[in-house]
Amino acid sequence: MSLIVQKFGGTSVADVEKIRAAARKAIRAQRQGHQVVMVVSAMGKNTDGLLDLAGQISREPPAREMDMLLSTGEQVSVALVAMAIHDLGAKAISLTGGQIGMKTDNSFSKARIQSISTERIRRLLDGGNIVVAAGFQGIDDDWNITTLGRGGSDTTAVALAAVLGADACEIYTDVDGVYTTDPRLLPEARRVDVISYDEMLELASLGAGVMHSRSIEFAKKFRVPIHVRSSFSDTEGTMIVAEAESSSQPVSGAAMTPDEARVTVLGVPDVPGKSRQIFAAIADRKIAVDMVVQNVGTNGRADVSFTVARPELSNTLHAVHAVLGEVGAQGMTHDEQVSKISVVGQNMATQTSVASRMFRALSDAGVNIQMITTSEIKISTLVPKEQAGRALRAVHEEFLLHQRPADAQSWGQIKAERRDSADVDTLVSRLQDDALEALTLTGISVTESQARVTLYGVPDQPGVAADMFETIGAASIFVDMIVQGYDGEDGLTSVSFTVHRDDLNHSLEVARLIQQKHGMRDAQGAAEIAKVTVSGIGLRSHTSVGTILFQELAEAGINVEMIGTSELQVNAVIDEAKVAVAADRLKIAFADALL
Ligand code: ASP
Ligand code: MG
């Protein structure tokens, strides 16, 4: 018999009528022959109300009591939903996180799921009940109530769908699906029928916020198809699955993170271990670092730039300030009037000129790019905050995101496909011990025969990056990583990119032409480099990955020349002679997490 999980967010159970409507949806699915598990959030803004109440009692409420308090919101809503189902003539049982055996670690307010017991749920389902499970909450080994973090009911729902082997996980919410960009920022945004897990992970990290990003990590790991749909209309919504909407369109979505802050540490000695010191100091304060640009230096020193969410800026500056002396850096600068504009697309990895098209679109809109980072399916740029709205519109238009791609897969085509359950069941039983939500790495690999080209003294003006990468593209050179950061000299930046070693000489010739045309200071290449890549699920939410990588490389005396991070991969460009040692060390360091 098929089993579906239906999750109802706070707005979908905000009042008595909405609770009845949710109950009717579940009953309808049951009458159509499915077993139904509902996962329910707290009513409306109830969680915010409880937070506010706690704030009035205490300035720093104990974390354990906070979770005890917040979990009550979901307990209210599951009981009411179960009553509504009874009232409509069907059978239902509500269960708390503890009652569904949702075991978590003990990090209150951001607990991670370890295991879920399914017996009781199955027994109740077989008895003809709709099971109404409280979202967002679990219990630790000592039976303390824990919560998964704001928005965590999505993660409860997808995790339940994974361990129950559900056929689908439906997310009922107040939006009718996933859009090419936030429709509140850009009215021409288009609802997509289909989006891939990887794209969704990158978009969630970019602040697209339709779903809790840990829920997408679960879905990807256990191949749960997610169906996002509106509680209030009958539109078809969006399927989140392994494949993308189109197999040719290079970009599927664009996002703006309006409130970023850039920090640059100037004159960092270009020797192993220095970045590790800086980023460890930041990680110690549990601050998540976003874009990281560690560019190749001159005169034995490099500038390291990165961004954090603006509210974290002062905390970050303190952390860095405290280690400046120890690191031997020459100073630091920051800018809090910056925003991040990114494009994401599964097909980007195999297409050329996506970066130069993006840079050209930004330049034509008069937008100055201050920093660039790329990963396999994402290009991010840092731009002045007052230009961000224009920038988002320009890239959305350039990649025709308002139009449905000609080869788009429709919602119906995808819906028919079911996951292959044998593999998934093995994985579930393997991880059910205590590690459903642990960091999962799918591989540590090495790309040899790489080369790097760096342009120094690049004027920080609109159009320069576009011209550079158009010229390189016109010469048929395939560029892998691109990094633009600060140069140390006022108003100048430096840009590095990697190419296949066979293309190095050609790339350098082209780079010298670009250098002359724009009056840049220097163009240099390095042939003996390689890339080491750690791939997996949850690389950003498990903030330790970057720290461990830096630590291992530093201990082996390996200098990191360029670094790129995303949800899916952490890439480090290093000396080719040391790449085998690096990969071996990383395999040992991450042995527990490797699948
Ligand atoms: N009620 C919790 C919150 O508001 C969990 C959720 O809605 O997913 O964050
Ligand atoms: Mg919510």
Side-chain angles (χ1 to χ4, degrees):
M1 193 180 207
S2 84
L3 192 162
I4 61 175
V5 173
Q6 295 185 325
K7 182 251 167 180
F8 293 87
T11 47
S12 307
V13 290
D15 57 38
V16 169
E17 256 331 295
K18 288 177 179 149
I19 286 178
R20 287 213 178 93
R24 268 185 233 109
K25 280 210 164 73
I27 294 171
R28 196 202 306 157
Q30 193 189 42
R31 297 211 169 122
Q32 285 164 355
H34 306 285
Q35 293 191 322
V36 182
V37 174
M38 296 172 83
V39 173
V40 184
S41 292
M43 292 172 68
K45 300 236 171 289
N46 188 347
T47 309
D48 292 326
L50 293 170
L51 272 167
D52 184 60
L53 198 54
Q56 291 176 42
I57 295 275
S58 159
R59 271 173 141 218
E60 272 180 70
R64 181 189 180 281
E65 305 312 328
M66 209 58 211
D67 280 10
M68 178 70 99
L69 177 71
L70 294 189
S71 68
T72 62
E74 273 68 14
Q75 201 169 326
V76 168
S77 55
V78 286
L80 293 173
V81 169
M83 289 175 197
I85 295 172
H86 277 273
D87 208 49
L88 292 163
K91 283 166 72 176
I93 294 278
S94 65
L95 297 173
T96 63
Q99 288 171 330
I100 56 169
M102 172 74 70
K103 286 289 276 297
T104 70
D105 63 20
N106 61 3
S107 33
F108 296 110
S109 87
K110 45 180 179 303
R112 285 193 177 263
I113 300 174
Q114 295 178 327
S115 64
I116 306 172
S117 44
T118 53
E119 266 160 68
R120 183 168 184 192
I121 298 179
R122 290 214 189 273
R123 227 183 320 121
L124 290 166
L125 290 171
D126 290 342
N129 293 283
I130 293 172
V131 171
V132 191
F136 171 61
Q137 56 178 271
I139 45 161
D140 72 5
D141 285 340
D142 294 324
W143 302 85
N144 294 306
I145 294 178
T146 56
T147 66
L148 307 182
R150 296 306 306 271
S153 297
D154 290 335
T155 297
T156 305
V158 181
L160 271 173
V163 297
L164 291 167
D167 297 276
C169 182
E170 298 180 341
I171 305 285
Y172 288 95
T173 174
D174 53 355
V175 295
D176 61 1
V178 177
Y179 281 71
T180 50
T181 196
D182 187 338
R184 287 166 302 187
L185 297 176
L186 215 60
E188 60 265 42
R190 177 178 62 90
R191 183 175 57 74
V192 297
D193 279 357
V194 180
I195 192 161
S196 73
Y197 297 132
D198 287 349
E199 289 168 338
M200 200 57 201
L201 275 168
E202 295 287 12
L203 284 167
S205 80
L206 300 174
V210 177
M211 292 195 59
H212 201 225
S213 64
R214 282 161 54 192
S215 70
I216 311 293
E217 292 173 6
F218 254 103
K220 178 180 176 187
K221 192 165 8 176
F222 301 107
R223 303 224 158 244
V224 179
I226 296 178
H227 185 183
V228 180
R229 45 194 321 193
S230 163
S231 299
F232 314 122
S233 80
D234 272 330
T235 44
E236 288 177 336
T238 300
M239 293 296 292
I240 309 173
V241 291
E243 58 267 60
E245 182 182 43
S246 138
S247 55
S248 62
Q249 175 183 254
V251 170
S252 315
M256 178 209 293
T257 315
D259 297 318
E260 291 260 297
R262 172 189 59 81
V263 177
T264 299
V265 188
L266 299 165
V268 179
D270 198 7
V271 294
K274 294 300 173 186
S275 306
R276 189 197 66 78
Q277 279 176 357
I278 297 168
F279 291 111
I282 300 168
D284 279 350
R285 297 196 184 209
K286 301 254 180 291
I287 300 164
V289 171
D290 184 11
M291 296 170 82
V292 179
V293 168
Q294 173 164 336
N295 214 338
V296 194
T298 38
N299 308 325
R301 287 183 182 271
D303 297 325
V304 176
S305 295
F306 55 88
T307 63
V308 294
R310 189 166 316 143
E312 303 277 24
L313 177 64
S314 75
N315 203 358
T316 307
L317 292 176
H318 282 120
V320 177
H321 193 77
V323 295
L324 268 190
E326 208 183 308
V327 169
Q330 293 169 322
M332 75 182 164
T333 63
H334 68 269
D335 183 350
E336 50 192 310
Q337 292 303 316
V338 288
S339 303
K340 183 177 62 167
I341 300 292
S342 308
V343 297
V344 168
Q346 187 110 324
N347 303 317
M348 195 184 284
T350 52
Q351 293 190 23
T352 53
S353 82
V354 184
S356 61
R357 279 176 67 188
M358 176 177 186
F359 304 155
R360 173 57 64 200
L362 292 174
S363 147
D364 287 349
V367 174
N368 184 31
I369 306 170
Q370 300 183 340
M371 254 167 90
I372 301 170
T373 59
T374 61
S375 72
E376 52 298 346
I377 69 161
K378 181 177 74 182
I379 303 170
S380 296
T381 56
L382 198 69
V383 305
K385 185 175 166 63
E386 80 274 5
Q387 300 176 358
R390 216 156 79 216
L392 182 68
R393 166 159 291 126
V395 297
H396 198 271
E397 256 167 36
E398 168 63 29
F399 293 105
L400 303 177
L401 294 182
H402 56 286
Q403 280 173 23
R404 192 165 191 274
D407 67 342
Q409 301 200 69
S410 74
W411 180 85
Q413 276 166 302
I414 290 288
K415 199 177 181 214
E417 282 171 39
R418 301 264 287 275
R419 68 197 175 83
D420 169 10
S421 57
D423 284 1
V424 176
D425 293 344
T426 322
L427 188 59
V428 169
S429 52
R430 208 180 119 192
L431 297 182
Q432 260 285 24
D433 291 343
D434 62 359
L436 279 175
E437 213 182 340
L439 172 67
T440 305
L441 297 185
T442 48
I444 291 172
S445 64
V446 159
T447 316
E448 287 178 317
S449 305
Q450 298 289 293
R452 167 182 58 73
V453 176
T454 301
L455 283 152
Y456 297 95
V458 176
D460 188 13
Q461 285 159 12
V464 177
D467 190 45
M468 280 173 68
F469 289 98
E470 277 171 2
T471 311
I472 294 161
S476 301
I477 296 164
F478 188 83
V479 171
D480 181 19
M481 277 169 83
I482 301 173
V483 147
Q484 176 188 341
Y486 275 72
D487 181 86
E489 287 188 27
D490 276 349
L492 299 177
T493 72
S494 67
V495 176
S496 294
F497 55 91
T498 58
V499 293
H500 191 276
R501 190 163 308 147
D502 294 345
D503 287 335
L504 175 60
N505 286 336
H506 189 195
S507 305
L508 264 176
E509 282 163 25
V510 176
R512 299 232 156 87
L513 291 177
I514 298 169
Q515 180 200 343
Q516 281 162 13
K517 179 170 169 197
H518 291 280
M520 298 173 185
R521 193 169 71 239
D522 198 5
Q524 278 174 24
E528 310 291 306
I529 59 156
K531 185 170 80 171
V532 50
T533 303
V534 179
S535 312
I537 300 166
L539 293 185
R540 203 186 288 269
S541 69
H542 291 269
T543 48
S544 60
V545 179
T547 314
I548 294 172
L549 179 112
F550 275 127
Q551 169 111 30
E552 289 296 321
L553 297 182
E555 278 172 13
I558 299 171
N559 197 25
V560 179
E561 294 199 12
M562 281 164 75
I563 179 131
T565 60
S566 72
E567 291 290 327
L568 318 170
Q569 293 190 342
V570 178
N571 286 296
V573 171
I574 60 176
D575 181 354
E576 177 153 60
K578 300 194 171 142
V579 78
V581 178
D584 286 344
R585 283 193 78 107
L586 293 174
K587 280 180 188 151
I588 296 168
F590 288 115
D592 285 349
L594 271 165
L595 267 190

